[in-house]
Amino acid sequence: MTGIDFTVFKGSPNGKIVESRTHKESIKPDDVLLKITHAGVCGTDQHHKTSDMVLGHEGVGIVQQVGSQVTAFKVGDRAGWGYLHNSCGHCDQCLNANEMFCPERAIYANSNTDQGAFASHAVWKAAFLFHIPDAITSSDAAPLMCAGATVFNAMYLYNVRPTDRVAIVGVGGLGHIAIQFAAKMGCEVVVFSGSESKKEEAKSLGASEFYSTKGASKLEIGKPIKHLFVTTSRVPDWNLFLPILAPNATIYPITVSQGNLAMPHIPIVSKGLTIQGSFCASRGVHVKMLRFAAVHGIKPITQEFPLTAEGIEEAMAKLDKGEVRYRAVLVAGRH
């Protein structure tokens, strides 16, 4: 084979989406060539739209070619990928199925910046691709590759248990998926939102209780919260939330924002609270997330846009204004 050329969509210094081309000399023995059919749009993509790199890290497509040593995928399979592209395979983190924290990890925006999900094709290592279960459509699978994996990972790794009283702050791109996972795990799911209008939707997704925080100076919710997942783009008013936490509760600030995380000191000490950082899932948990979503019918609420420069611009503009309900998905061949 003489090489592979494919279309990619990159950021640029002025934030405009630029169509470009990427060339790969060949497919290595452990590589897979995917034709991308669907790509989720994530807030992290917004952070990088002024960088000269190919955007997108929630990719789903169809296998077109496999390297000579690849046995896990065959031509025609559906496959997806997320934040992580590669790891060393031999450090303590990798050997403990914790490769997302490998010191040599290859992740979105730090490596392989010549390709991404906003493209016609991609070439990835087979070991870092995921089979898409038959019960999940490719459009629904795309947001699960990052958003779904991120919220499930925090719940799975840090001991959220059935019957735990779990709070989700925000009914948005991450929050609406977190509600579903927590409910299907058997938790009591308490949802907080700045918008009363989201009450019925939160309940339909699995919330046991819903509270509007708009204009509230105190929250009255009955039993205290064991796990608090913050999925809003803005940091919440901690003076509202810390009083409703149980002793030894855990706070998960899942959304990424610049600047410092500032919190009142005394309640953290006096209640023995934990602030738990959590990133995207390593592969073992990612596979479990897909399996769990397939078994329990967990689906993101999506809006579709064309996988073109114009479609990406439109999706990102709506995401920037908070108008996407709740995950944007770019679809190849859609006009």
Side-chain angles (χ1 to χ4, degrees), residues 279-316:
F279 200 27
C280 300
S282 291
R283 290 169 295 173
V285 175
H286 194 118
V287 169
K288 289 183 177 76
M289 177 276 298
L290 287 171
R291 199 180 300 147
F292 190 91
V295 168
H296 293 285
I298 289 167
K299 295 177 180 176
I301 295 170
T302 59
Q303 276 181 260
E304 293 186 345
F305 300 83
L307 183 43
T308 60
E310 297 74 24
I312 296 165
E313 295 268 13
E314 184 189 357
M316 285 192 143

PDB file of all heavy atoms in Angstrom, residues 279-316:
ATOM      1  N   PHE A 279     -10.661  11.023  36.122  1.00  0.00           N
ATOM      2  CA  PHE A 279     -10.411  11.337  34.712  1.00  0.00           C
ATOM      3  C   PHE A 279     -11.235  10.367  33.869  1.00  0.00           C
ATOM      4  O   PHE A 279     -12.114   9.670  34.364  1.00  0.00           O
ATOM      5  CB  PHE A 279      -8.900  11.199  34.452  1.00  0.00           C
ATOM      6  CG  PHE A 279      -8.399  11.925  33.233  1.00  0.00           C
ATOM      7  CD1 PHE A 279      -9.037  13.057  32.743  1.00  0.00           C
ATOM      8  CD2 PHE A 279      -7.259  11.470  32.578  1.00  0.00           C
ATOM      9  CE1 PHE A 279      -8.552  13.721  31.624  1.00  0.00           C
ATOM     10  CE2 PHE A 279      -6.765  12.128  31.461  1.00  0.00           C
ATOM     11  CZ  PHE A 279      -7.411  13.258  30.984  1.00  0.00           C
ATOM     12  N   CYS A 280     -10.953  10.306  32.592  1.00  0.00           N
ATOM     13  CA  CYS A 280     -11.626   9.337  31.727  1.00  0.00           C
ATOM     14  C   CYS A 280     -11.232   7.919  32.147  1.00  0.00           C
ATOM     15  O   CYS A 280     -10.243   7.718  32.832  1.00  0.00           O
ATOM     16  CB  CYS A 280     -11.226   9.553  30.274  1.00  0.00           C
ATOM     17  SG  CYS A 280     -11.654  11.180  29.645  1.00  0.00           S
ATOM     18  N   ALA A 281     -11.994   6.954  31.683  1.00  0.00           N
ATOM     19  CA  ALA A 281     -11.786   5.566  32.098  1.00  0.00           C
ATOM     20  C   ALA A 281     -10.586   4.930  31.415  1.00  0.00           C
ATOM     21  O   ALA A 281     -10.306   5.204  30.246  1.00  0.00           O
ATOM     22  CB  ALA A 281     -13.039   4.751  31.782  1.00  0.00           C
ATOM     23  N   SER A 282      -9.895   4.064  32.143  1.00  0.00           N
ATOM     24  CA  SER A 282      -8.963   3.133  31.499  1.00  0.00           C
ATOM     25  C   SER A 282      -9.796   2.073  30.774  1.00  0.00           C
ATOM     26  O   SER A 282     -11.017   2.003  30.933  1.00  0.00           O
ATOM     27  CB  SER A 282      -8.037   2.509  32.538  1.00  0.00           C
ATOM     28  OG  SER A 282      -7.136   3.486  33.047  1.00  0.00           O
ATOM     29  N   ARG A 283      -9.130   1.223  29.997  1.00  0.00           N
ATOM     30  CA  ARG A 283      -9.873   0.373  29.061  1.00  0.00           C
ATOM     31  C   ARG A 283     -10.798  -0.640  29.727  1.00  0.00           C
ATOM     32  O   ARG A 283     -11.928  -0.867  29.247  1.00  0.00           O
ATOM     33  CB  ARG A 283      -8.888  -0.347  28.134  1.00  0.00           C
ATOM     34  CG  ARG A 283      -8.225   0.593  27.147  1.00  0.00           C
ATOM     35  CD  ARG A 283      -7.076  -0.058  26.426  1.00  0.00           C
ATOM     36  NE  ARG A 283      -5.989  -0.397  27.338  1.00  0.00           N
ATOM     37  CZ  ARG A 283      -4.919  -1.090  26.983  1.00  0.00           C
ATOM     38  NH1 ARG A 283      -4.807  -1.540  25.736  1.00  0.00           N
ATOM     39  NH2 ARG A 283      -3.964  -1.341  27.849  1.00  0.00           N
ATOM     40  N   GLY A 284     -10.360  -1.254  30.834  1.00  0.00           N
ATOM     41  CA  GLY A 284     -11.198  -2.251  31.481  1.00  0.00           C
ATOM     42  C   GLY A 284     -12.529  -1.691  31.935  1.00  0.00           C
ATOM     43  O   GLY A 284     -13.591  -2.298  31.736  1.00  0.00           O
ATOM     44  N   VAL A 285     -12.499  -0.489  32.513  1.00  0.00           N
ATOM     45  CA  VAL A 285     -13.731   0.151  32.981  1.00  0.00           C
ATOM     46  C   VAL A 285     -14.538   0.668  31.786  1.00  0.00           C
ATOM     47  O   VAL A 285     -15.772   0.627  31.794  1.00  0.00           O
ATOM     48  CB  VAL A 285     -13.420   1.285  33.984  1.00  0.00           C
ATOM     49  CG1 VAL A 285     -14.688   2.035  34.384  1.00  0.00           C
ATOM     50  CG2 VAL A 285     -12.742   0.712  35.227  1.00  0.00           C
ATOM     51  N   HIS A 286     -13.857   1.135  30.750  1.00  0.00           N
ATOM     52  CA  HIS A 286     -14.539   1.620  29.542  1.00  0.00           C
ATOM     53  C   HIS A 286     -15.392   0.499  28.923  1.00  0.00           C
ATOM     54  O   HIS A 286     -16.552   0.721  28.545  1.00  0.00           O
ATOM     55  CB  HIS A 286     -13.498   2.122  28.535  1.00  0.00           C
ATOM     56  CG  HIS A 286     -14.063   2.946  27.422  1.00  0.00           C
ATOM     57  ND1 HIS A 286     -13.712   4.258  27.219  1.00  0.00           N
ATOM     58  CD2 HIS A 286     -14.960   2.658  26.453  1.00  0.00           C
ATOM     59  CE1 HIS A 286     -14.365   4.737  26.166  1.00  0.00           C
ATOM     60  NE2 HIS A 286     -15.115   3.773  25.690  1.00  0.00           N
ATOM     61  N   VAL A 287     -14.821  -0.692  28.846  1.00  0.00           N
ATOM     62  CA  VAL A 287     -15.557  -1.841  28.299  1.00  0.00           C
ATOM     63  C   VAL A 287     -16.768  -2.159  29.174  1.00  0.00           C
ATOM     64  O   VAL A 287     -17.872  -2.428  28.671  1.00  0.00           O
ATOM     65  CB  VAL A 287     -14.627  -3.069  28.173  1.00  0.00           C
ATOM     66  CG1 VAL A 287     -15.423  -4.331  27.863  1.00  0.00           C
ATOM     67  CG2 VAL A 287     -13.579  -2.828  27.092  1.00  0.00           C
ATOM     68  N   LYS A 288     -16.585  -2.125  30.493  1.00  0.00           N
ATOM     69  CA  LYS A 288     -17.705  -2.379  31.409  1.00  0.00           C
ATOM     70  C   LYS A 288     -18.795  -1.330  31.234  1.00  0.00           C
ATOM     71  O   LYS A 288     -19.996  -1.627  31.311  1.00  0.00           O
ATOM     72  CB  LYS A 288     -17.212  -2.407  32.859  1.00  0.00           C
ATOM     73  CG  LYS A 288     -16.363  -3.619  33.223  1.00  0.00           C
ATOM     74  CD  LYS A 288     -15.991  -3.593  34.694  1.00  0.00           C
ATOM     75  CE  LYS A 288     -15.187  -4.842  35.090  1.00  0.00           C
ATOM     76  NZ  LYS A 288     -13.796  -4.785  34.638  1.00  0.00           N
ATOM     77  N   MET A 289     -18.388  -0.068  31.031  1.00  0.00           N
ATOM     78  CA  MET A 289     -19.356   1.010  30.815  1.00  0.00           C
ATOM     79  C   MET A 289     -20.219   0.723  29.589  1.00  0.00           C
ATOM     80  O   MET A 289     -21.459   0.845  29.644  1.00  0.00           O
ATOM     81  CB  MET A 289     -18.611   2.339  30.646  1.00  0.00           C
ATOM     82  CG  MET A 289     -19.470   3.552  30.349  1.00  0.00           C
ATOM     83  SD  MET A 289     -19.911   3.792  28.603  1.00  0.00           S
ATOM     84  CE  MET A 289     -18.298   4.004  27.848  1.00  0.00           C
ATOM     85  N   LEU A 290     -19.589   0.326  28.487  1.00  0.00           N
ATOM     86  CA  LEU A 290     -20.350   0.025  27.261  1.00  0.00           C
ATOM     87  C   LEU A 290     -21.297  -1.155  27.481  1.00  0.00           C
ATOM     88  O   LEU A 290     -22.453  -1.140  27.044  1.00  0.00           O
ATOM     89  CB  LEU A 290     -19.392  -0.266  26.104  1.00  0.00           C
ATOM     90  CG  LEU A 290     -18.655   0.951  25.525  1.00  0.00           C
ATOM     91  CD1 LEU A 290     -17.575   0.506  24.547  1.00  0.00           C
ATOM     92  CD2 LEU A 290     -19.629   1.902  24.838  1.00  0.00           C
ATOM     93  N   ARG A 291     -20.799  -2.168  28.175  1.00  0.00           N
ATOM     94  CA  ARG A 291     -21.625  -3.345  28.462  1.00  0.00           C
ATOM     95  C   ARG A 291     -22.822  -2.961  29.325  1.00  0.00           C
ATOM     96  O   ARG A 291     -23.961  -3.370  29.077  1.00  0.00           O
ATOM     97  CB  ARG A 291     -20.748  -4.392  29.168  1.00  0.00           C
ATOM     98  CG  ARG A 291     -21.295  -5.806  29.130  1.00  0.00           C
ATOM     99  CD  ARG A 291     -20.343  -6.751  29.853  1.00  0.00           C
ATOM    100  NE  ARG A 291     -19.014  -6.781  29.255  1.00  0.00           N
ATOM    101  CZ  ARG A 291     -17.882  -6.962  29.932  1.00  0.00           C
ATOM    102  NH1 ARG A 291     -17.904  -7.113  31.254  1.00  0.00           N
ATOM    103  NH2 ARG A 291     -16.733  -6.996  29.310  1.00  0.00           N
ATOM    104  N   PHE A 292     -22.563  -2.156  30.360  1.00  0.00           N
ATOM    105  CA  PHE A 292     -23.615  -1.720  31.279  1.00  0.00           C
ATOM    106  C   PHE A 292     -24.661  -0.884  30.526  1.00  0.00           C
ATOM    107  O   PHE A 292     -25.873  -1.076  30.695  1.00  0.00           O
ATOM    108  CB  PHE A 292     -22.984  -0.910  32.410  1.00  0.00           C
ATOM    109  CG  PHE A 292     -23.911  -0.593  33.551  1.00  0.00           C
ATOM    110  CD1 PHE A 292     -24.007  -1.449  34.635  1.00  0.00           C
ATOM    111  CD2 PHE A 292     -24.681   0.561  33.547  1.00  0.00           C
ATOM    112  CE1 PHE A 292     -24.856  -1.156  35.705  1.00  0.00           C
ATOM    113  CE2 PHE A 292     -25.532   0.857  34.604  1.00  0.00           C
ATOM    114  CZ  PHE A 292     -25.617  -0.004  35.686  1.00  0.00           C
ATOM    115  N   ALA A 293     -24.188   0.035  29.681  1.00  0.00           N
ATOM    116  CA  ALA A 293     -25.107   0.885  28.909  1.00  0.00           C
ATOM    117  C   ALA A 293     -25.966   0.049  27.971  1.00  0.00           C
ATOM    118  O   ALA A 293     -27.167   0.309  27.808  1.00  0.00           O
ATOM    119  CB  ALA A 293     -24.312   1.927  28.124  1.00  0.00           C
ATOM    120  N   ALA A 294     -25.370  -0.980  27.366  1.00  0.00           N
ATOM    121  CA  ALA A 294     -26.116  -1.847  26.449  1.00  0.00           C
ATOM    122  C   ALA A 294     -27.187  -2.635  27.194  1.00  0.00           C
ATOM    123  O   ALA A 294     -28.341  -2.715  26.756  1.00  0.00           O
ATOM    124  CB  ALA A 294     -25.149  -2.790  25.735  1.00  0.00           C
ATOM    125  N   VAL A 295     -26.825  -3.206  28.326  1.00  0.00           N
ATOM    126  CA  VAL A 295     -27.756  -4.037  29.109  1.00  0.00           C
ATOM    127  C   VAL A 295     -28.920  -3.200  29.644  1.00  0.00           C
ATOM    128  O   VAL A 295     -30.072  -3.642  29.642  1.00  0.00           O
ATOM    129  CB  VAL A 295     -27.015  -4.741  30.270  1.00  0.00           C
ATOM    130  CG1 VAL A 295     -27.992  -5.354  31.266  1.00  0.00           C
ATOM    131  CG2 VAL A 295     -26.077  -5.805  29.723  1.00  0.00           C
ATOM    132  N   HIS A 296     -28.628  -1.981  30.074  1.00  0.00           N
ATOM    133  CA  HIS A 296     -29.639  -1.168  30.760  1.00  0.00           C
ATOM    134  C   HIS A 296     -30.276  -0.093  29.878  1.00  0.00           C
ATOM    135  O   HIS A 296     -31.064   0.728  30.369  1.00  0.00           O
ATOM    136  CB  HIS A 296     -29.024  -0.521  32.002  1.00  0.00           C
ATOM    137  CG  HIS A 296     -28.660  -1.512  33.060  1.00  0.00           C
ATOM    138  ND1 HIS A 296     -29.593  -2.126  33.869  1.00  0.00           N
ATOM    139  CD2 HIS A 296     -27.460  -2.038  33.421  1.00  0.00           C
ATOM    140  CE1 HIS A 296     -28.988  -2.963  34.691  1.00  0.00           C
ATOM    141  NE2 HIS A 296     -27.689  -2.935  34.439  1.00  0.00           N
ATOM    142  N   GLY A 297     -29.945  -0.098  28.600  1.00  0.00           N
ATOM    143  CA  GLY A 297     -30.579   0.857  27.688  1.00  0.00           C
ATOM    144  C   GLY A 297     -30.254   2.310  27.993  1.00  0.00           C
ATOM    145  O   GLY A 297     -31.091   3.197  27.819  1.00  0.00           O
ATOM    146  N   ILE A 298     -29.031   2.563  28.454  1.00  0.00           N
ATOM    147  CA  ILE A 298     -28.621   3.942  28.754  1.00  0.00           C
ATOM    148  C   ILE A 298     -28.225   4.635  27.455  1.00  0.00           C
ATOM    149  O   ILE A 298     -27.370   4.147  26.720  1.00  0.00           O
ATOM    150  CB  ILE A 298     -27.468   3.950  29.779  1.00  0.00           C
ATOM    151  CG1 ILE A 298     -28.028   3.519  31.137  1.00  0.00           C
ATOM    152  CG2 ILE A 298     -26.806   5.312  29.856  1.00  0.00           C
ATOM    153  CD1 ILE A 298     -27.002   3.188  32.158  1.00  0.00           C
ATOM    154  N   LYS A 299     -28.882   5.758  27.181  1.00  0.00           N
ATOM    155  CA  LYS A 299     -28.655   6.466  25.915  1.00  0.00           C
ATOM    156  C   LYS A 299     -28.496   7.957  26.179  1.00  0.00           C
ATOM    157  O   LYS A 299     -29.317   8.538  26.895  1.00  0.00           O
ATOM    158  CB  LYS A 299     -29.837   6.260  24.972  1.00  0.00           C
ATOM    159  CG  LYS A 299     -30.014   4.827  24.545  1.00  0.00           C
ATOM    160  CD  LYS A 299     -31.236   4.657  23.677  1.00  0.00           C
ATOM    161  CE  LYS A 299     -31.367   3.191  23.279  1.00  0.00           C
ATOM    162  NZ  LYS A 299     -32.578   2.934  22.518  1.00  0.00           N
ATOM    163  N   PRO A 300     -27.489   8.564  25.588  1.00  0.00           N
ATOM    164  CA  PRO A 300     -27.405  10.023  25.681  1.00  0.00           C
ATOM    165  C   PRO A 300     -28.528  10.659  24.869  1.00  0.00           C
ATOM    166  O   PRO A 300     -29.032  10.062  23.921  1.00  0.00           O
ATOM    167  CB  PRO A 300     -26.036  10.354  25.073  1.00  0.00           C
ATOM    168  CG  PRO A 300     -25.638   9.162  24.293  1.00  0.00           C
ATOM    169  CD  PRO A 300     -26.391   7.987  24.809  1.00  0.00           C
ATOM    170  N   ILE A 301     -28.921  11.850  25.271  1.00  0.00           N
ATOM    171  CA  ILE A 301     -29.863  12.648  24.468  1.00  0.00           C
ATOM    172  C   ILE A 301     -28.992  13.482  23.532  1.00  0.00           C
ATOM    173  O   ILE A 301     -28.127  14.239  23.995  1.00  0.00           O
ATOM    174  CB  ILE A 301     -30.734  13.534  25.374  1.00  0.00           C
ATOM    175  CG1 ILE A 301     -31.614  12.639  26.258  1.00  0.00           C
ATOM    176  CG2 ILE A 301     -31.599  14.480  24.548  1.00  0.00           C
ATOM    177  CD1 ILE A 301     -32.347  13.386  27.363  1.00  0.00           C
ATOM    178  N   THR A 302     -29.197  13.322  22.241  1.00  0.00           N
ATOM    179  CA  THR A 302     -28.261  13.906  21.279  1.00  0.00           C
ATOM    180  C   THR A 302     -28.962  14.827  20.272  1.00  0.00           C
ATOM    181  O   THR A 302     -30.159  14.710  20.021  1.00  0.00           O
ATOM    182  CB  THR A 302     -27.526  12.803  20.482  1.00  0.00           C
ATOM    183  OG1 THR A 302     -28.495  12.003  19.794  1.00  0.00           O
ATOM    184  CG2 THR A 302     -26.707  11.915  21.399  1.00  0.00           C
ATOM    185  N   GLN A 303     -28.152  15.714  19.702  1.00  0.00           N
ATOM    186  CA  GLN A 303     -28.544  16.521  18.546  1.00  0.00           C
ATOM    187  C   GLN A 303     -27.496  16.273  17.480  1.00  0.00           C
ATOM    188  O   GLN A 303     -26.294  16.352  17.761  1.00  0.00           O
ATOM    189  CB  GLN A 303     -28.560  18.005  18.904  1.00  0.00           C
ATOM    190  CG  GLN A 303     -29.832  18.476  19.561  1.00  0.00           C
ATOM    191  CD  GLN A 303     -29.747  19.966  19.858  1.00  0.00           C
ATOM    192  OE1 GLN A 303     -29.479  20.362  20.987  1.00  0.00           O
ATOM    193  NE2 GLN A 303     -29.974  20.800  18.873  1.00  0.00           N
ATOM    194  N   GLU A 304     -27.939  15.987  16.255  1.00  0.00           N
ATOM    195  CA  GLU A 304     -26.998  15.641  15.187  1.00  0.00           C
ATOM    196  C   GLU A 304     -26.722  16.834  14.271  1.00  0.00           C
ATOM    197  O   GLU A 304     -27.612  17.647  13.999  1.00  0.00           O
ATOM    198  CB  GLU A 304     -27.538  14.458  14.384  1.00  0.00           C
ATOM    199  CG  GLU A 304     -27.594  13.171  15.202  1.00  0.00           C
ATOM    200  CD  GLU A 304     -28.001  11.955  14.371  1.00  0.00           C
ATOM    201  OE1 GLU A 304     -28.509  12.131  13.243  1.00  0.00           O
ATOM    202  OE2 GLU A 304     -27.793  10.827  14.857  1.00  0.00           O
ATOM    203  N   PHE A 305     -25.482  16.892  13.820  1.00  0.00           N
ATOM    204  CA  PHE A 305     -25.016  17.922  12.892  1.00  0.00           C
ATOM    205  C   PHE A 305     -24.163  17.236  11.827  1.00  0.00           C
ATOM    206  O   PHE A 305     -23.614  16.154  12.073  1.00  0.00           O
ATOM    207  CB  PHE A 305     -24.146  18.958  13.625  1.00  0.00           C
ATOM    208  CG  PHE A 305     -24.847  19.679  14.738  1.00  0.00           C
ATOM    209  CD1 PHE A 305     -24.943  19.105  16.016  1.00  0.00           C
ATOM    210  CD2 PHE A 305     -25.415  20.924  14.542  1.00  0.00           C
ATOM    211  CE1 PHE A 305     -25.583  19.759  17.047  1.00  0.00           C
ATOM    212  CE2 PHE A 305     -26.057  21.591  15.577  1.00  0.00           C
ATOM    213  CZ  PHE A 305     -26.141  21.016  16.827  1.00  0.00           C
ATOM    214  N   PRO A 306     -23.997  17.844  10.641  1.00  0.00           N
ATOM    215  CA  PRO A 306     -23.142  17.223   9.617  1.00  0.00           C
ATOM    216  C   PRO A 306     -21.664  17.244  10.034  1.00  0.00           C
ATOM    217  O   PRO A 306     -21.205  18.213  10.655  1.00  0.00           O
ATOM    218  CB  PRO A 306     -23.353  18.097   8.376  1.00  0.00           C
ATOM    219  CG  PRO A 306     -24.516  18.985   8.678  1.00  0.00           C
ATOM    220  CD  PRO A 306     -24.610  19.090  10.163  1.00  0.00           C
ATOM    221  N   LEU A 307     -20.945  16.198   9.677  1.00  0.00           N
ATOM    222  CA  LEU A 307     -19.491  16.134   9.927  1.00  0.00           C
ATOM    223  C   LEU A 307     -18.783  16.876   8.792  1.00  0.00           C
ATOM    224  O   LEU A 307     -18.154  16.299   7.915  1.00  0.00           O
ATOM    225  CB  LEU A 307     -19.029  14.677  10.041  1.00  0.00           C
ATOM    226  CG  LEU A 307     -17.550  14.396  10.364  1.00  0.00           C
ATOM    227  CD1 LEU A 307     -17.007  15.303  11.446  1.00  0.00           C
ATOM    228  CD2 LEU A 307     -17.348  12.950  10.740  1.00  0.00           C
ATOM    229  N   THR A 308     -18.952  18.199   8.818  1.00  0.00           N
ATOM    230  CA  THR A 308     -18.328  19.109   7.856  1.00  0.00           C
ATOM    231  C   THR A 308     -17.802  20.297   8.658  1.00  0.00           C
ATOM    232  O   THR A 308     -18.167  20.468   9.835  1.00  0.00           O
ATOM    233  CB  THR A 308     -19.360  19.635   6.837  1.00  0.00           C
ATOM    234  OG1 THR A 308     -20.396  20.336   7.569  1.00  0.00           O
ATOM    235  CG2 THR A 308     -19.996  18.501   6.036  1.00  0.00           C
ATOM    236  N   ALA A 309     -16.992  21.148   8.016  1.00  0.00           N
ATOM    237  CA  ALA A 309     -16.490  22.341   8.713  1.00  0.00           C
ATOM    238  C   ALA A 309     -17.652  23.190   9.217  1.00  0.00           C
ATOM    239  O   ALA A 309     -17.656  23.671  10.354  1.00  0.00           O
ATOM    240  CB  ALA A 309     -15.590  23.153   7.785  1.00  0.00           C
ATOM    241  N   GLU A 310     -18.694  23.347   8.367  1.00  0.00           N
ATOM    242  CA  GLU A 310     -19.852  24.163   8.746  1.00  0.00           C
ATOM    243  C   GLU A 310     -20.624  23.506   9.896  1.00  0.00           C
ATOM    244  O   GLU A 310     -21.079  24.177  10.822  1.00  0.00           O
ATOM    245  CB  GLU A 310     -20.792  24.367   7.545  1.00  0.00           C
ATOM    246  CG  GLU A 310     -20.194  25.132   6.372  1.00  0.00           C
ATOM    247  CD  GLU A 310     -19.194  24.289   5.566  1.00  0.00           C
ATOM    248  OE1 GLU A 310     -19.282  23.042   5.591  1.00  0.00           O
ATOM    249  OE2 GLU A 310     -18.328  24.906   4.921  1.00  0.00           O
ATOM    250  N   GLY A 311     -20.779  22.191   9.822  1.00  0.00           N
ATOM    251  CA  GLY A 311     -21.491  21.462  10.874  1.00  0.00           C
ATOM    252  C   GLY A 311     -20.781  21.554  12.214  1.00  0.00           C
ATOM    253  O   GLY A 311     -21.418  21.721  13.265  1.00  0.00           O
ATOM    254  N   ILE A 312     -19.446  21.456  12.179  1.00  0.00           N
ATOM    255  CA  ILE A 312     -18.651  21.564  13.410  1.00  0.00           C
ATOM    256  C   ILE A 312     -18.792  22.972  13.999  1.00  0.00           C
ATOM    257  O   ILE A 312     -18.997  23.139  15.203  1.00  0.00           O
ATOM    258  CB  ILE A 312     -17.164  21.234  13.142  1.00  0.00           C
ATOM    259  CG1 ILE A 312     -17.016  19.778  12.693  1.00  0.00           C
ATOM    260  CG2 ILE A 312     -16.315  21.504  14.385  1.00  0.00           C
ATOM    261  CD1 ILE A 312     -15.665  19.454  12.071  1.00  0.00           C
ATOM    262  N   GLU A 313     -18.700  23.986  13.117  1.00  0.00           N
ATOM    263  CA  GLU A 313     -18.847  25.384  13.572  1.00  0.00           C
ATOM    264  C   GLU A 313     -20.203  25.585  14.252  1.00  0.00           C
ATOM    265  O   GLU A 313     -20.299  26.188  15.326  1.00  0.00           O
ATOM    266  CB  GLU A 313     -18.751  26.347  12.363  1.00  0.00           C
ATOM    267  CG  GLU A 313     -17.397  26.368  11.686  1.00  0.00           C
ATOM    268  CD  GLU A 313     -16.458  27.431  12.244  1.00  0.00           C
ATOM    269  OE1 GLU A 313     -16.748  27.990  13.315  1.00  0.00           O
ATOM    270  OE2 GLU A 313     -15.427  27.682  11.601  1.00  0.00           O
ATOM    271  N   GLU A 314     -21.271  25.044  13.629  1.00  0.00           N
ATOM    272  CA  GLU A 314     -22.619  25.219  14.173  1.00  0.00           C
ATOM    273  C   GLU A 314     -22.755  24.517  15.530  1.00  0.00           C
ATOM    274  O   GLU A 314     -23.275  25.085  16.493  1.00  0.00           O
ATOM    275  CB  GLU A 314     -23.658  24.665  13.188  1.00  0.00           C
ATOM    276  CG  GLU A 314     -25.090  24.910  13.640  1.00  0.00           C
ATOM    277  CD  GLU A 314     -26.129  24.187  12.789  1.00  0.00           C
ATOM    278  OE1 GLU A 314     -25.757  23.534  11.795  1.00  0.00           O
ATOM    279  OE2 GLU A 314     -27.318  24.265  13.144  1.00  0.00           O
ATOM    280  N   ALA A 315     -22.263  23.275  15.599  1.00  0.00           N
ATOM    281  CA  ALA A 315     -22.359  22.511  16.846  1.00  0.00           C
ATOM    282  C   ALA A 315     -21.579  23.203  17.964  1.00  0.00           C
ATOM    283  O   ALA A 315     -22.058  23.302  19.106  1.00  0.00           O
ATOM    284  CB  ALA A 315     -21.834  21.092  16.632  1.00  0.00           C
ATOM    285  N   MET A 316     -20.375  23.686  17.646  1.00  0.00           N
ATOM    286  CA  MET A 316     -19.548  24.337  18.670  1.00  0.00           C
ATOM    287  C   MET A 316     -20.141  25.665  19.117  1.00  0.00           C
ATOM    288  O   MET A 316     -20.075  26.012  20.302  1.00  0.00           O
ATOM    289  CB  MET A 316     -18.126  24.517  18.156  1.00  0.00           C
ATOM    290  CG  MET A 316     -17.350  23.218  18.136  1.00  0.00           C
ATOM    291  SD  MET A 316     -15.599  23.516  17.860  1.00  0.00           S
ATOM    292  CE  MET A 316     -14.867  22.276  18.912  1.00  0.00           C
TER     293      MET A 316
END
